[in-house]
Amino acid sequence: MNKKQWIGSGIFYGLSAFGISLTIKASVGVSSFNALNVTLATMSGIKVGTITTAINLGFLAACWLLDRRQTSLKQKGSEYLIMFFALLAFGYLINGFVYYFLASLHLTNYWGQLAALIGGILISGTATGQVLRLQVLKFPIEHWCHLLAQRSRWTFKQYRYGVDAVCISGALLLAISLGLPLAVREGTVISFFLLSGAIAWSKERDLTLGIPTRQKRQG
């Protein structure tokens, strides 16, 4: 595997974490998955990056059980170990950005909050698209939905929207029942329409200055 693919994927993984952190600091609502993470973090006092990692690792474990590719255990184990450490780093980066690097960022103007939100969505969406294009690292939720879709009559899109619905419902239920600040707000709606478009746009374009994509293995 090309060394540049690893470097490029790592950089864009970090940019994705930065974009997500910026949407959190905007405080006008975040994407469905992050709405649940932010709500759980507020409820428990655990940092949001740590919550994000814990849930992602749960999906990664589910992916391991569902993944029936005809590959050696060593190859499969090495791919999942890489994803494991990438998710740990992802959570640490979110914590670093939210609680340290962006700690002094306090947006009191509503239009400034919206600008930060949209900027964060575009950064995270573009970075995510490049990670998917390079095909070195996977995002556990999307991988889980893909594996389920291969084994049932439901499509990837249906499973992914199902995850979104569960995350939004869970965030709203916890916030309302416990009197917590709402993480599901107008930013969630904006993210719903803007994030997928940014990912799709980026995935079809080479923003890595010529780093080749990973060649898919046969079988």
Side-chain angles (χ1 to χ4, degrees), residues 18-201:
F18 175 74
I20 289 171
S21 303
L22 198 55
T23 65
I24 293 172
K25 292 297 290 186
S27 300
V28 287
V30 290
S31 67
S32 56
F33 177 54
N34 290 313
L36 179 60
N37 296 335
V38 170
T39 304
L40 288 172
T42 303
M43 179 187 73
S44 65
I46 299 173
K47 292 179 177 178
V48 65
T50 307
I51 295 287
T52 302
T53 294
I55 296 178
N56 270 322
L57 288 179
F59 276 102
L60 186 65
C63 289
W64 171 273
L65 296 175
L66 287 170
D67 195 342
R68 304 296 183 187
R69 288 173 299 157
Q70 298 301 313
T71 58
S72 68
L73 183 61
K74 180 179 179 180
Q75 178 183 315
K76 179 181 175 182
S78 126
E79 290 181 2
Y80 276 81
L81 189 62
I82 289 168
M83 285 192 281
F84 173 82
F85 284 113
L87 291 174
L88 289 181
F90 194 68
Y92 277 117
L93 282 172
I94 291 176
N95 284 340
F97 287 131
V98 172
Y99 301 104
Y100 300 99
F101 186 75
L102 298 174
S104 60
L105 180 63
H106 300 290
L107 299 169
T108 55
N109 180 276
Y110 181 70
W111 296 109
Q113 291 175 297
L114 283 182
L117 171 79
I118 292 172
I121 291 171
L122 293 177
I123 291 170
S124 63
T126 301
T128 298
Q130 289 302 293
V131 171
L132 295 175
R133 191 190 73 82
L134 289 170
Q135 302 175 21
V136 172
L137 300 173
K138 294 184 177 74
F139 291 93
I141 293 177
E142 283 71 21
H143 190 38
W144 179 77
C145 292
H146 174 71
L147 291 171
L148 280 179
Q150 290 180 327
R151 291 161 175 73
S152 71
R153 62 187 180 89
W154 302 104
T155 65
F156 169 86
K157 182 184 291 187
Q158 288 172 318
Y159 279 115
R160 191 61 186 85
Y161 278 129
V163 172
D164 285 342
V166 169
C167 289
I168 290 174
S169 300
L172 285 173
L173 182 62
L174 287 172
I176 293 171
S177 61
L178 299 176
L180 302 173
L182 283 175
V184 179
R185 291 179 52 187
E186 62 270 35
T188 309
V189 178
I190 295 172
S191 178
F192 179 82
F193 288 104
L194 192 57
L195 182 60
S196 295
I199 293 173
W201 178 88

